[in-house]
């Protein structure tokens, strides 16, 4: 999607509620699946974790019900990797996180001049820490989080998409008028849930394609 198309989509709305992964930060879930499959030979990590369907362990991490340490410990047990250092598990878990292209940050700066912008992300503490370090290392995007009127991370608010409670929390906390708010996400199950909740939506059909250089 280019800047002109995005502005056209957002024009009728006052509030833009964004997903994070696949929208602003590029993702490759297969990288994490390959990393863990290499570490835990004989175990199908891809069946254990996917974008559309996660097991209880991952959901608990994303909603803050278990700590990063508990997650790593349980994952080691599940994958029979108790002999490995925690850092190797963290490295594999964060392999899916790629880059935040500068042009998306630049677009957000322009959008914020006329709109209120919010971020609702299914994210865990390990990934949040990784992104924080990535921002520090990349000077051109260090102010990325400050561009949003409010950040809503699932492991902080205790709810995750596609549950309606996540959308309800955001809209109530930020006093958002549903008729003046649009939600953009690259996961169809989140889009469908947001529609049922009453939000206008835009499905980014091609992951990692939001505001790309032509």
């Amino acid at each position: 999607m280019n800047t002109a198309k995005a502005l056209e989509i957002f024009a009728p709305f006052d509030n833009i509620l964004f997903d994070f992964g696949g929208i602003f930060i590029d993702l490759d879930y297969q990288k994490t699946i390959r990393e863990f499959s290499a570490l835990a030979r004989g175990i199908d990590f891809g069946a254990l974790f996917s974008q559309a369907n996660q097991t209880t362990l991952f959901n608990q991490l994303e909603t803050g019900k278990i700590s990063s340490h508990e997650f790593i410990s349980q994952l080691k047990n599940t994958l029979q990797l108790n002999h490995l250092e925690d850092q190797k598990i963290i490295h594999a878990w964060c392999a899916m996180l790629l880059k935040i292209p500068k042009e998306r940050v630049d677009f957000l700066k322009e959008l914020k001049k006329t709109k209120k912008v919010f971020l609702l992300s299914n994210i865990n503490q390990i990934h949040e820490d990784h992104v924080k370090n990535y921002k520090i290392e990349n000077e051109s995007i260090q102010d990325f989080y400050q561009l949003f009127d409010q950040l809503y991370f699932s492991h902080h608010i205790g709810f995750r998409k596609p549950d309606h409670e996540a959308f309800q929390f955001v809209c109530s906390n930020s006093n958002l008028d549903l008729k003046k708010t649009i939600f953009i996400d690259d996961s169809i199950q989140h889009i469908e849930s947001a529609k049922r909740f009453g939000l206008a939506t835009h499905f980014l059909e091609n992951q990692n394609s939001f505001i790309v250089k032509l």
Side-chain angles (χ1 to χ4, degrees):
M1 184 188 300
N2 60 36
T3 298
K5 179 63 176 178
L7 291 175
E8 178 185 342
I9 292 170
F10 300 149
F13 303 96
D14 295 336
N15 314 304
I16 319 299
L17 177 59
F18 289 103
D19 175 35
F20 186 23
I23 304 296
F24 288 106
I25 187 169
D26 286 341
L27 297 178
D28 185 349
Y29 292 97
Q30 291 302 315
K31 286 178 69 68
T32 283
I33 290 172
R34 287 194 298 269
E35 290 277 353
F36 276 116
S37 296
L39 291 173
R41 299 184 184 279
I43 295 179
D44 184 2
F45 187 81
L48 190 66
F49 173 84
S50 71
Q51 181 182 15
N53 183 30
Q54 299 183 33
T55 65
T56 300
L57 176 62
F58 301 106
N59 290 342
Q60 287 179 328
L61 180 68
E62 282 194 341
T63 53
K65 291 181 173 61
I66 60 172
S67 67
S68 298
H69 177 74
E70 290 172 317
F71 169 74
I72 292 169
S73 178
Q74 291 187 43
L75 193 57
K76 279 185 174 182
N77 287 333
T78 300
L79 300 178
Q80 301 173 27
L81 293 173
N82 288 301
H83 60 287
L84 284 185
E85 297 175 355
D86 287 1
Q87 194 55 45
K88 289 190 175 181
I89 300 297
I90 293 172
H91 174 80
W93 181 233
C94 292
M96 69 178 77
L97 303 174
L98 304 181
K99 63 179 180 177
I100 301 175
K102 183 177 180 296
E103 57 265 28
R104 296 176 193 168
V105 180
D106 291 340
F107 169 78
L108 190 60
K109 290 178 180 178
E110 288 299 311
L111 185 65
K112 187 171 172 57
K113 292 177 181 179
T114 57
K115 308 290 183 180
K116 288 187 175 181
V117 292
F118 303 86
L119 193 69
L120 172 59
S121 175
N122 288 354
I123 191 172
N124 57 82
Q125 187 65 61
I126 299 173
H127 282 174
E128 183 182 351
D129 291 343
H130 179 89
V131 173
K132 180 180 178 181
N133 291 332
Y134 173 84
K135 291 197 304 102
I136 291 172
E137 294 168 0
N138 292 269
E139 185 176 349
S140 64
I141 64 165
Q142 284 182 2
D143 62 346
F144 174 67
Y145 283 164
Q146 284 68 47
L147 296 174
F148 292 93
D149 290 85
Q150 187 68 51
L151 302 171
Y152 293 99
F153 290 160
S154 60
H155 74 99
H156 290 310
I157 68 175
F159 305 113
R160 68 184 299 277
K161 300 170 294 182
D163 298 338
H164 279 192
E165 289 86 350
F167 300 112
Q168 181 64 57
F169 185 96
V170 171
C171 292
S172 296
N173 192 70
S174 290
N175 196 28
L176 301 183
D177 184 341
L178 295 185
K179 295 179 180 179
K180 298 179 180 180
T181 305
I182 186 171
F183 171 63
I184 179 170
D185 200 297
D186 65 321
S187 295
I188 190 62
Q189 70 272 21
H190 298 164
I191 289 292
E192 291 173 348
S193 178
K195 283 181 179 179
R196 291 192 295 271
F197 179 72
L199 285 166
T201 63
H202 178 75
F203 175 45
L204 192 71
E205 195 164 354
N206 298 314
Q207 188 188 64
N208 306 329
S209 65
F210 181 62
I211 310 301
V212 295
K213 287 183 178 179
L214 298 179

